[in-house]
Amino acid sequence: MTTPGRLRHPALRRRLLALSGIVLAALALLALVLMQGYARRTADRSYDMMLGSAVLQLGQSVRHSSRGFAVDLPVAAFATLAQAPNDRVFYRISVNGEVLTGYGDLPAPPPRAATARTLTQPGPDFFNAAYRGEPIRVARLVRLNTERLPQDEIVIELAQTRLARNAMAEAMLHPALELMLAVLAAALGLLWLGIYYAFRPFTMLARALARRSPKDLTPLALPVPKETLPLLDTINHFIARQQALLERVESYTSVAAHQLRTPLASLRALCENARDETDDTRRQQLLAQLVEQCDQLSLTVRHLLNQAMLDHRFHSREPEPVALNDLTRRVCLELAVQALRRGVELAFEPAPAEQHIQGDAFALTQMLNNLIENAVAHSPEGGLVEIRVLAGGGICIRDQGPGIPAHEKDRVFERFYRGTASRHHGSGMGMAIARDVAEHHHARIHLADNVPHGLVVEIRFEPEVSP
């Protein structure tokens, strides 16, 4: 497994430059091949004009008389080819397939489709071949002798090595190659500058974040390109979430310190009174109040810890499928003994079919614990608390306690608020935690009066909605 310290961080700039360089090199290689072909064709066209002129002169030197065919090789034809002094020249003149003069082993032209025979050929044909281990360029001219019947076919072939042609092609190719290499180097340089300036916004973001104080959670405002705005918006969104979380923690800490200060002072006063009390009956009363105050303080601390844990889970856990029937049954079984100790009966009724939602089972368990504990705590001895899972995704909790006045139904969800009609001294956080869990799961908690008395708490989940 790769540890965070050993993670490889490839340089994106170098990678882009390397990929772009490969593409440019491939294009340059393609251009080189095309330029090489163009230079070769241009050199062939230039020297083919001289070779074609020479073969035409050779064709005019073939004569027919009563003694047969004779050839008077023109000096001017070979003088034309002397402009390439390092090249060698070969020729062959054939009549009706028989060599009249020249090199009889010159290579034959490449095969091609048969064409109709014409009286005169407008110009010679050119083709490349190899002769005696050297590449050659051959001009081939076909003439028909119409002075007698049947007509005689005269073939004049004049070949020249390619030294001058190759030298001319290289002379044309070298400047183009130098220019192409210069353009390639300039393109890579400009590309590097473009990549450098394209990635400058990321450097600006990194420097802006590095220069910031740990306490500075204001949004970043940088002149970045449009393409970088999504990243900047994401960073600002993260900063805003951290700011909200920090403010919430500071609020919790401030309120918790205030809420803990009062019971701690009360505990100290009760301890001092119990220490100084001489009447045993009064001392036992003070000790009972001390135990009750300890229980209330323990409940407050437990709710504060649960709130902190839930806040962490809300920002770190992905939702999972939760079966409401199974979850509610387990919560009821865990609270059954506590309810029996208070003389309250729990009744659980599952939905006809299992109801599934996307959420956090731990958070939902804390919500149900708080709501059912409140219902049990406010129910009279011998009372009944009904917990029912509703079809369509919901949970209903009914108790037979005093209920909540209409003007307090909204306020009971405020943190550390305790109702005036309550005979149970809780932490004031149970309903607030339940509301936070419900909102995280896109659910709503509705409070209504039970008949003849008591409270009905109904939680409605939106089906197939993830938090």
Side-chain angles (χ1 to χ4, degrees), residues 331-365:
V331 173
C332 291
L333 289 175
E334 292 174 359
L335 297 178
V337 175
Q338 177 182 338
L340 290 176
R341 288 176 181 171
R342 290 180 173 268
V344 178
E345 179 182 355
L346 295 184
F348 169 64
E349 180 183 348
E354 184 62 88
Q355 306 295 311
H356 290 88
I357 63 169
Q358 293 288 326
D360 185 344
F362 176 82
L364 293 171
T365 299

PDB file of all heavy atoms in Angstrom, residues 331-365:
ATOM      1  N   VAL A 331     -34.249   0.108  18.586  1.00  0.00           N
ATOM      2  CA  VAL A 331     -34.275   1.215  19.547  1.00  0.00           C
ATOM      3  C   VAL A 331     -35.291   0.954  20.650  1.00  0.00           C
ATOM      4  O   VAL A 331     -35.028   1.194  21.833  1.00  0.00           O
ATOM      5  CB  VAL A 331     -34.581   2.538  18.813  1.00  0.00           C
ATOM      6  CG1 VAL A 331     -34.779   3.671  19.817  1.00  0.00           C
ATOM      7  CG2 VAL A 331     -33.466   2.888  17.837  1.00  0.00           C
ATOM      8  N   CYS A 332     -36.443   0.432  20.271  1.00  0.00           N
ATOM      9  CA  CYS A 332     -37.471   0.127  21.280  1.00  0.00           C
ATOM     10  C   CYS A 332     -36.989  -0.943  22.256  1.00  0.00           C
ATOM     11  O   CYS A 332     -37.240  -0.858  23.471  1.00  0.00           O
ATOM     12  CB  CYS A 332     -38.760  -0.326  20.599  1.00  0.00           C
ATOM     13  SG  CYS A 332     -39.612   0.998  19.698  1.00  0.00           S
ATOM     14  N   LEU A 333     -36.282  -1.950  21.744  1.00  0.00           N
ATOM     15  CA  LEU A 333     -35.774  -2.998  22.636  1.00  0.00           C
ATOM     16  C   LEU A 333     -34.729  -2.432  23.593  1.00  0.00           C
ATOM     17  O   LEU A 333     -34.686  -2.818  24.778  1.00  0.00           O
ATOM     18  CB  LEU A 333     -35.158  -4.128  21.801  1.00  0.00           C
ATOM     19  CG  LEU A 333     -36.153  -4.996  21.018  1.00  0.00           C
ATOM     20  CD1 LEU A 333     -35.411  -5.994  20.134  1.00  0.00           C
ATOM     21  CD2 LEU A 333     -37.095  -5.737  21.981  1.00  0.00           C
ATOM     22  N   GLU A 334     -33.898  -1.510  23.134  1.00  0.00           N
ATOM     23  CA  GLU A 334     -32.881  -0.931  24.011  1.00  0.00           C
ATOM     24  C   GLU A 334     -33.488  -0.055  25.096  1.00  0.00           C
ATOM     25  O   GLU A 334     -32.944   0.039  26.209  1.00  0.00           O
ATOM     26  CB  GLU A 334     -31.900  -0.106  23.174  1.00  0.00           C
ATOM     27  CG  GLU A 334     -31.029  -0.941  22.250  1.00  0.00           C
ATOM     28  CD  GLU A 334     -30.167  -0.076  21.337  1.00  0.00           C
ATOM     29  OE1 GLU A 334     -30.283   1.167  21.446  1.00  0.00           O
ATOM     30  OE2 GLU A 334     -29.399  -0.631  20.526  1.00  0.00           O
ATOM     31  N   LEU A 335     -34.627   0.596  24.810  1.00  0.00           N
ATOM     32  CA  LEU A 335     -35.248   1.517  25.777  1.00  0.00           C
ATOM     33  C   LEU A 335     -36.351   0.860  26.600  1.00  0.00           C
ATOM     34  O   LEU A 335     -36.942   1.525  27.469  1.00  0.00           O
ATOM     35  CB  LEU A 335     -35.811   2.738  25.047  1.00  0.00           C
ATOM     36  CG  LEU A 335     -34.793   3.619  24.319  1.00  0.00           C
ATOM     37  CD1 LEU A 335     -35.500   4.754  23.598  1.00  0.00           C
ATOM     38  CD2 LEU A 335     -33.763   4.171  25.298  1.00  0.00           C
ATOM     39  N   ALA A 336     -36.652  -0.412  26.326  1.00  0.00           N
ATOM     40  CA  ALA A 336     -37.778  -1.063  27.014  1.00  0.00           C
ATOM     41  C   ALA A 336     -37.528  -1.158  28.516  1.00  0.00           C
ATOM     42  O   ALA A 336     -38.426  -0.865  29.329  1.00  0.00           O
ATOM     43  CB  ALA A 336     -38.015  -2.453  26.426  1.00  0.00           C
ATOM     44  N   VAL A 337     -36.324  -1.555  28.919  1.00  0.00           N
ATOM     45  CA  VAL A 337     -36.033  -1.703  30.355  1.00  0.00           C
ATOM     46  C   VAL A 337     -36.116  -0.344  31.044  1.00  0.00           C
ATOM     47  O   VAL A 337     -36.694  -0.217  32.142  1.00  0.00           O
ATOM     48  CB  VAL A 337     -34.639  -2.335  30.536  1.00  0.00           C
ATOM     49  CG1 VAL A 337     -34.275  -2.385  32.016  1.00  0.00           C
ATOM     50  CG2 VAL A 337     -34.615  -3.736  29.938  1.00  0.00           C
ATOM     51  N   GLN A 338     -35.556   0.698  30.431  1.00  0.00           N
ATOM     52  CA  GLN A 338     -35.606   2.039  31.017  1.00  0.00           C
ATOM     53  C   GLN A 338     -37.054   2.498  31.179  1.00  0.00           C
ATOM     54  O   GLN A 338     -37.411   3.114  32.194  1.00  0.00           O
ATOM     55  CB  GLN A 338     -34.838   3.010  30.124  1.00  0.00           C
ATOM     56  CG  GLN A 338     -34.886   4.455  30.585  1.00  0.00           C
ATOM     57  CD  GLN A 338     -34.145   5.379  29.631  1.00  0.00           C
ATOM     58  OE1 GLN A 338     -33.290   4.948  28.876  1.00  0.00           O
ATOM     59  NE2 GLN A 338     -34.492   6.654  29.676  1.00  0.00           N
ATOM     60  N   ALA A 339     -37.912   2.183  30.207  1.00  0.00           N
ATOM     61  CA  ALA A 339     -39.327   2.574  30.302  1.00  0.00           C
ATOM     62  C   ALA A 339     -40.036   1.806  31.412  1.00  0.00           C
ATOM     63  O   ALA A 339     -40.847   2.382  32.166  1.00  0.00           O
ATOM     64  CB  ALA A 339     -40.004   2.337  28.956  1.00  0.00           C
ATOM     65  N   LEU A 340     -39.728   0.501  31.538  1.00  0.00           N
ATOM     66  CA  LEU A 340     -40.382  -0.292  32.590  1.00  0.00           C
ATOM     67  C   LEU A 340     -40.001   0.201  33.973  1.00  0.00           C
ATOM     68  O   LEU A 340     -40.813   0.150  34.919  1.00  0.00           O
ATOM     69  CB  LEU A 340     -40.012  -1.769  32.419  1.00  0.00           C
ATOM     70  CG  LEU A 340     -40.620  -2.468  31.196  1.00  0.00           C
ATOM     71  CD1 LEU A 340     -40.098  -3.888  31.081  1.00  0.00           C
ATOM     72  CD2 LEU A 340     -42.153  -2.475  31.289  1.00  0.00           C
ATOM     73  N   ARG A 341     -38.769   0.672  34.132  1.00  0.00           N
ATOM     74  CA  ARG A 341     -38.366   1.212  35.429  1.00  0.00           C
ATOM     75  C   ARG A 341     -39.185   2.429  35.804  1.00  0.00           C
ATOM     76  O   ARG A 341     -39.385   2.718  36.996  1.00  0.00           O
ATOM     77  CB  ARG A 341     -36.882   1.577  35.399  1.00  0.00           C
ATOM     78  CG  ARG A 341     -35.954   0.358  35.398  1.00  0.00           C
ATOM     79  CD  ARG A 341     -34.513   0.799  35.257  1.00  0.00           C
ATOM     80  NE  ARG A 341     -33.610  -0.348  35.229  1.00  0.00           N
ATOM     81  CZ  ARG A 341     -32.323  -0.275  34.953  1.00  0.00           C
ATOM     82  NH1 ARG A 341     -31.769   0.922  34.666  1.00  0.00           N
ATOM     83  NH2 ARG A 341     -31.568  -1.354  34.949  1.00  0.00           N
ATOM     84  N   ARG A 342     -39.645   3.157  34.814  1.00  0.00           N
ATOM     85  CA  ARG A 342     -40.491   4.329  35.078  1.00  0.00           C
ATOM     86  C   ARG A 342     -41.966   3.960  35.100  1.00  0.00           C
ATOM     87  O   ARG A 342     -42.816   4.846  35.248  1.00  0.00           O
ATOM     88  CB  ARG A 342     -40.251   5.402  34.005  1.00  0.00           C
ATOM     89  CG  ARG A 342     -38.887   6.069  34.091  1.00  0.00           C
ATOM     90  CD  ARG A 342     -38.732   7.104  32.989  1.00  0.00           C
ATOM     91  NE  ARG A 342     -37.515   7.877  33.136  1.00  0.00           N
ATOM     92  CZ  ARG A 342     -37.420   9.029  33.798  1.00  0.00           C
ATOM     93  NH1 ARG A 342     -38.504   9.528  34.379  1.00  0.00           N
ATOM     94  NH2 ARG A 342     -36.276   9.676  33.886  1.00  0.00           N
ATOM     95  N   GLY A 343     -42.274   2.683  34.890  1.00  0.00           N
ATOM     96  CA  GLY A 343     -43.664   2.256  34.891  1.00  0.00           C
ATOM     97  C   GLY A 343     -44.393   2.605  33.611  1.00  0.00           C
ATOM     98  O   GLY A 343     -45.617   2.772  33.606  1.00  0.00           O
ATOM     99  N   VAL A 344     -43.666   2.729  32.493  1.00  0.00           N
ATOM    100  CA  VAL A 344     -44.258   3.104  31.205  1.00  0.00           C
ATOM    101  C   VAL A 344     -44.085   1.922  30.249  1.00  0.00           C
ATOM    102  O   VAL A 344     -43.029   1.278  30.200  1.00  0.00           O
ATOM    103  CB  VAL A 344     -43.584   4.369  30.636  1.00  0.00           C
ATOM    104  CG1 VAL A 344     -44.183   4.713  29.270  1.00  0.00           C
ATOM    105  CG2 VAL A 344     -43.753   5.537  31.602  1.00  0.00           C
ATOM    106  N   GLU A 345     -45.127   1.655  29.487  1.00  0.00           N
ATOM    107  CA  GLU A 345     -45.095   0.544  28.538  1.00  0.00           C
ATOM    108  C   GLU A 345     -44.818   1.078  27.127  1.00  0.00           C
ATOM    109  O   GLU A 345     -45.361   2.111  26.715  1.00  0.00           O
ATOM    110  CB  GLU A 345     -46.443  -0.180  28.548  1.00  0.00           C
ATOM    111  CG  GLU A 345     -46.514  -1.350  27.579  1.00  0.00           C
ATOM    112  CD  GLU A 345     -47.877  -2.007  27.575  1.00  0.00           C
ATOM    113  OE1 GLU A 345     -48.730  -1.614  28.394  1.00  0.00           O
ATOM    114  OE2 GLU A 345     -48.099  -2.907  26.735  1.00  0.00           O
ATOM    115  N   LEU A 346     -43.945   0.365  26.405  1.00  0.00           N
ATOM    116  CA  LEU A 346     -43.654   0.699  25.007  1.00  0.00           C
ATOM    117  C   LEU A 346     -44.386  -0.280  24.106  1.00  0.00           C
ATOM    118  O   LEU A 346     -44.328  -1.495  24.313  1.00  0.00           O
ATOM    119  CB  LEU A 346     -42.148   0.633  24.712  1.00  0.00           C
ATOM    120  CG  LEU A 346     -41.241   1.638  25.418  1.00  0.00           C
ATOM    121  CD1 LEU A 346     -39.798   1.472  24.920  1.00  0.00           C
ATOM    122  CD2 LEU A 346     -41.699   3.061  25.189  1.00  0.00           C
ATOM    123  N   ALA A 347     -45.049   0.257  23.097  1.00  0.00           N
ATOM    124  CA  ALA A 347     -45.750  -0.579  22.107  1.00  0.00           C
ATOM    125  C   ALA A 347     -45.210  -0.241  20.721  1.00  0.00           C
ATOM    126  O   ALA A 347     -45.278   0.914  20.290  1.00  0.00           O
ATOM    127  CB  ALA A 347     -47.258  -0.333  22.181  1.00  0.00           C
ATOM    128  N   PHE A 348     -44.712  -1.253  20.028  1.00  0.00           N
ATOM    129  CA  PHE A 348     -44.114  -1.047  18.702  1.00  0.00           C
ATOM    130  C   PHE A 348     -44.971  -1.724  17.635  1.00  0.00           C
ATOM    131  O   PHE A 348     -45.359  -2.888  17.781  1.00  0.00           O
ATOM    132  CB  PHE A 348     -42.690  -1.611  18.653  1.00  0.00           C
ATOM    133  CG  PHE A 348     -42.105  -1.669  17.265  1.00  0.00           C
ATOM    134  CD1 PHE A 348     -41.880  -0.505  16.541  1.00  0.00           C
ATOM    135  CD2 PHE A 348     -41.821  -2.889  16.680  1.00  0.00           C
ATOM    136  CE1 PHE A 348     -41.349  -0.563  15.262  1.00  0.00           C
ATOM    137  CE2 PHE A 348     -41.294  -2.958  15.401  1.00  0.00           C
ATOM    138  CZ  PHE A 348     -41.066  -1.789  14.689  1.00  0.00           C
ATOM    139  N   GLU A 349     -45.242  -0.979  16.566  1.00  0.00           N
ATOM    140  CA  GLU A 349     -46.027  -1.517  15.451  1.00  0.00           C
ATOM    141  C   GLU A 349     -45.258  -1.245  14.148  1.00  0.00           C
ATOM    142  O   GLU A 349     -45.143  -0.100  13.724  1.00  0.00           O
ATOM    143  CB  GLU A 349     -47.400  -0.858  15.386  1.00  0.00           C
ATOM    144  CG  GLU A 349     -48.264  -1.386  14.248  1.00  0.00           C
ATOM    145  CD  GLU A 349     -49.603  -0.679  14.151  1.00  0.00           C
ATOM    146  OE1 GLU A 349     -49.953   0.067  15.101  1.00  0.00           O
ATOM    147  OE2 GLU A 349     -50.293  -0.856  13.128  1.00  0.00           O
ATOM    148  N   PRO A 350     -44.737  -2.287  13.523  1.00  0.00           N
ATOM    149  CA  PRO A 350     -43.981  -2.064  12.272  1.00  0.00           C
ATOM    150  C   PRO A 350     -44.920  -1.803  11.103  1.00  0.00           C
ATOM    151  O   PRO A 350     -46.124  -2.077  11.164  1.00  0.00           O
ATOM    152  CB  PRO A 350     -43.221  -3.382  12.098  1.00  0.00           C
ATOM    153  CG  PRO A 350     -44.089  -4.401  12.751  1.00  0.00           C
ATOM    154  CD  PRO A 350     -44.763  -3.711  13.915  1.00  0.00           C
ATOM    155  N   ALA A 351     -44.365  -1.308  10.022  1.00  0.00           N
ATOM    156  CA  ALA A 351     -45.129  -1.128   8.782  1.00  0.00           C
ATOM    157  C   ALA A 351     -45.374  -2.497   8.144  1.00  0.00           C
ATOM    158  O   ALA A 351     -44.607  -3.447   8.366  1.00  0.00           O
ATOM    159  CB  ALA A 351     -44.360  -0.224   7.822  1.00  0.00           C
ATOM    160  N   PRO A 352     -46.446  -2.626   7.354  1.00  0.00           N
ATOM    161  CA  PRO A 352     -46.721  -3.927   6.722  1.00  0.00           C
ATOM    162  C   PRO A 352     -45.559  -4.436   5.873  1.00  0.00           C
ATOM    163  O   PRO A 352     -45.288  -5.634   5.840  1.00  0.00           O
ATOM    164  CB  PRO A 352     -47.958  -3.638   5.859  1.00  0.00           C
ATOM    165  CG  PRO A 352     -48.594  -2.438   6.480  1.00  0.00           C
ATOM    166  CD  PRO A 352     -47.478  -1.630   7.054  1.00  0.00           C
ATOM    167  N   ALA A 353     -44.887  -3.529   5.208  1.00  0.00           N
ATOM    168  CA  ALA A 353     -43.711  -3.889   4.404  1.00  0.00           C
ATOM    169  C   ALA A 353     -42.539  -3.039   4.862  1.00  0.00           C
ATOM    170  O   ALA A 353     -42.711  -1.894   5.297  1.00  0.00           O
ATOM    171  CB  ALA A 353     -43.981  -3.667   2.914  1.00  0.00           C
ATOM    172  N   GLU A 354     -41.342  -3.613   4.796  1.00  0.00           N
ATOM    173  CA  GLU A 354     -40.154  -2.888   5.226  1.00  0.00           C
ATOM    174  C   GLU A 354     -39.982  -1.603   4.424  1.00  0.00           C
ATOM    175  O   GLU A 354     -40.111  -1.572   3.205  1.00  0.00           O
ATOM    176  CB  GLU A 354     -38.913  -3.775   5.051  1.00  0.00           C
ATOM    177  CG  GLU A 354     -37.635  -3.148   5.557  1.00  0.00           C
ATOM    178  CD  GLU A 354     -37.663  -2.869   7.054  1.00  0.00           C
ATOM    179  OE1 GLU A 354     -37.305  -3.780   7.831  1.00  0.00           O
ATOM    180  OE2 GLU A 354     -38.085  -1.745   7.434  1.00  0.00           O
ATOM    181  N   GLN A 355     -39.709  -0.512   5.150  1.00  0.00           N
ATOM    182  CA  GLN A 355     -39.512   0.788   4.536  1.00  0.00           C
ATOM    183  C   GLN A 355     -38.020   1.115   4.548  1.00  0.00           C
ATOM    184  O   GLN A 355     -37.373   1.040   5.599  1.00  0.00           O
ATOM    185  CB  GLN A 355     -40.295   1.874   5.301  1.00  0.00           C
ATOM    186  CG  GLN A 355     -41.771   1.571   5.459  1.00  0.00           C
ATOM    187  CD  GLN A 355     -42.486   1.551   4.124  1.00  0.00           C
ATOM    188  OE1 GLN A 355     -42.328   2.470   3.317  1.00  0.00           O
ATOM    189  NE2 GLN A 355     -43.271   0.511   3.896  1.00  0.00           N
ATOM    190  N   HIS A 356     -37.479   1.484   3.395  1.00  0.00           N
ATOM    191  CA  HIS A 356     -36.052   1.788   3.279  1.00  0.00           C
ATOM    192  C   HIS A 356     -35.866   3.259   2.915  1.00  0.00           C
ATOM    193  O   HIS A 356     -36.621   3.803   2.097  1.00  0.00           O
ATOM    194  CB  HIS A 356     -35.384   0.920   2.223  1.00  0.00           C
ATOM    195  CG  HIS A 356     -35.266  -0.522   2.621  1.00  0.00           C
ATOM    196  ND1 HIS A 356     -36.262  -1.441   2.370  1.00  0.00           N
ATOM    197  CD2 HIS A 356     -34.272  -1.190   3.270  1.00  0.00           C
ATOM    198  CE1 HIS A 356     -35.891  -2.628   2.835  1.00  0.00           C
ATOM    199  NE2 HIS A 356     -34.695  -2.505   3.381  1.00  0.00           N
ATOM    200  N   ILE A 357     -34.859   3.862   3.529  1.00  0.00           N
ATOM    201  CA  ILE A 357     -34.448   5.216   3.175  1.00  0.00           C
ATOM    202  C   ILE A 357     -32.919   5.229   3.074  1.00  0.00           C
ATOM    203  O   ILE A 357     -32.251   4.289   3.520  1.00  0.00           O
ATOM    204  CB  ILE A 357     -34.910   6.273   4.198  1.00  0.00           C
ATOM    205  CG1 ILE A 357     -34.247   6.002   5.563  1.00  0.00           C
ATOM    206  CG2 ILE A 357     -36.426   6.299   4.313  1.00  0.00           C
ATOM    207  CD1 ILE A 357     -34.435   7.135   6.549  1.00  0.00           C
ATOM    208  N   GLN A 358     -32.378   6.295   2.485  1.00  0.00           N
ATOM    209  CA  GLN A 358     -30.930   6.501   2.435  1.00  0.00           C
ATOM    210  C   GLN A 358     -30.544   7.424   3.580  1.00  0.00           C
ATOM    211  O   GLN A 358     -31.064   8.533   3.685  1.00  0.00           O
ATOM    212  CB  GLN A 358     -30.513   7.110   1.096  1.00  0.00           C
ATOM    213  CG  GLN A 358     -30.699   6.202  -0.098  1.00  0.00           C
ATOM    214  CD  GLN A 358     -29.676   5.080  -0.102  1.00  0.00           C
ATOM    215  OE1 GLN A 358     -28.546   5.252   0.311  1.00  0.00           O
ATOM    216  NE2 GLN A 358     -30.092   3.916  -0.585  1.00  0.00           N
ATOM    217  N   GLY A 359     -29.640   6.959   4.442  1.00  0.00           N
ATOM    218  CA  GLY A 359     -29.276   7.810   5.560  1.00  0.00           C
ATOM    219  C   GLY A 359     -28.185   7.209   6.408  1.00  0.00           C
ATOM    220  O   GLY A 359     -27.498   6.273   6.024  1.00  0.00           O
ATOM    221  N   ASP A 360     -28.052   7.759   7.621  1.00  0.00           N
ATOM    222  CA  ASP A 360     -27.041   7.332   8.597  1.00  0.00           C
ATOM    223  C   ASP A 360     -27.778   6.645   9.737  1.00  0.00           C
ATOM    224  O   ASP A 360     -28.523   7.276  10.488  1.00  0.00           O
ATOM    225  CB  ASP A 360     -26.272   8.554   9.094  1.00  0.00           C
ATOM    226  CG  ASP A 360     -25.121   8.184  10.022  1.00  0.00           C
ATOM    227  OD1 ASP A 360     -25.102   7.046  10.508  1.00  0.00           O
ATOM    228  OD2 ASP A 360     -24.243   9.042  10.258  1.00  0.00           O
ATOM    229  N   ALA A 361     -27.558   5.327   9.897  1.00  0.00           N
ATOM    230  CA  ALA A 361     -28.278   4.562  10.916  1.00  0.00           C
ATOM    231  C   ALA A 361     -27.956   5.066  12.322  1.00  0.00           C
ATOM    232  O   ALA A 361     -28.841   5.129  13.184  1.00  0.00           O
ATOM    233  CB  ALA A 361     -27.938   3.075  10.778  1.00  0.00           C
ATOM    234  N   PHE A 362     -26.690   5.454  12.564  1.00  0.00           N
ATOM    235  CA  PHE A 362     -26.324   5.940  13.893  1.00  0.00           C
ATOM    236  C   PHE A 362     -27.078   7.228  14.231  1.00  0.00           C
ATOM    237  O   PHE A 362     -27.617   7.382  15.346  1.00  0.00           O
ATOM    238  CB  PHE A 362     -24.812   6.185  13.955  1.00  0.00           C
ATOM    239  CG  PHE A 362     -24.342   6.768  15.248  1.00  0.00           C
ATOM    240  CD1 PHE A 362     -24.112   5.958  16.340  1.00  0.00           C
ATOM    241  CD2 PHE A 362     -24.142   8.143  15.391  1.00  0.00           C
ATOM    242  CE1 PHE A 362     -23.682   6.498  17.550  1.00  0.00           C
ATOM    243  CE2 PHE A 362     -23.720   8.688  16.580  1.00  0.00           C
ATOM    244  CZ  PHE A 362     -23.482   7.870  17.671  1.00  0.00           C
ATOM    245  N   ALA A 363     -27.131   8.168  13.277  1.00  0.00           N
ATOM    246  CA  ALA A 363     -27.822   9.430  13.527  1.00  0.00           C
ATOM    247  C   ALA A 363     -29.318   9.201  13.735  1.00  0.00           C
ATOM    248  O   ALA A 363     -29.934   9.799  14.628  1.00  0.00           O
ATOM    249  CB  ALA A 363     -27.586  10.392  12.361  1.00  0.00           C
ATOM    250  N   LEU A 364     -29.908   8.338  12.933  1.00  0.00           N
ATOM    251  CA  LEU A 364     -31.338   8.052  13.097  1.00  0.00           C
ATOM    252  C   LEU A 364     -31.613   7.386  14.436  1.00  0.00           C
ATOM    253  O   LEU A 364     -32.655   7.638  15.069  1.00  0.00           O
ATOM    254  CB  LEU A 364     -31.815   7.155  11.948  1.00  0.00           C
ATOM    255  CG  LEU A 364     -31.815   7.807  10.564  1.00  0.00           C
ATOM    256  CD1 LEU A 364     -32.089   6.762   9.485  1.00  0.00           C
ATOM    257  CD2 LEU A 364     -32.863   8.915  10.483  1.00  0.00           C
ATOM    258  N   THR A 365     -30.682   6.548  14.891  1.00  0.00           N
ATOM    259  CA  THR A 365     -30.843   5.923  16.212  1.00  0.00           C
ATOM    260  C   THR A 365     -30.830   6.971  17.310  1.00  0.00           C
ATOM    261  O   THR A 365     -31.641   6.916  18.255  1.00  0.00           O
ATOM    262  CB  THR A 365     -29.715   4.896  16.433  1.00  0.00           C
ATOM    263  OG1 THR A 365     -29.793   3.878  15.433  1.00  0.00           O
ATOM    264  CG2 THR A 365     -29.836   4.247  17.804  1.00  0.00           C
TER     265      THR A 365
END
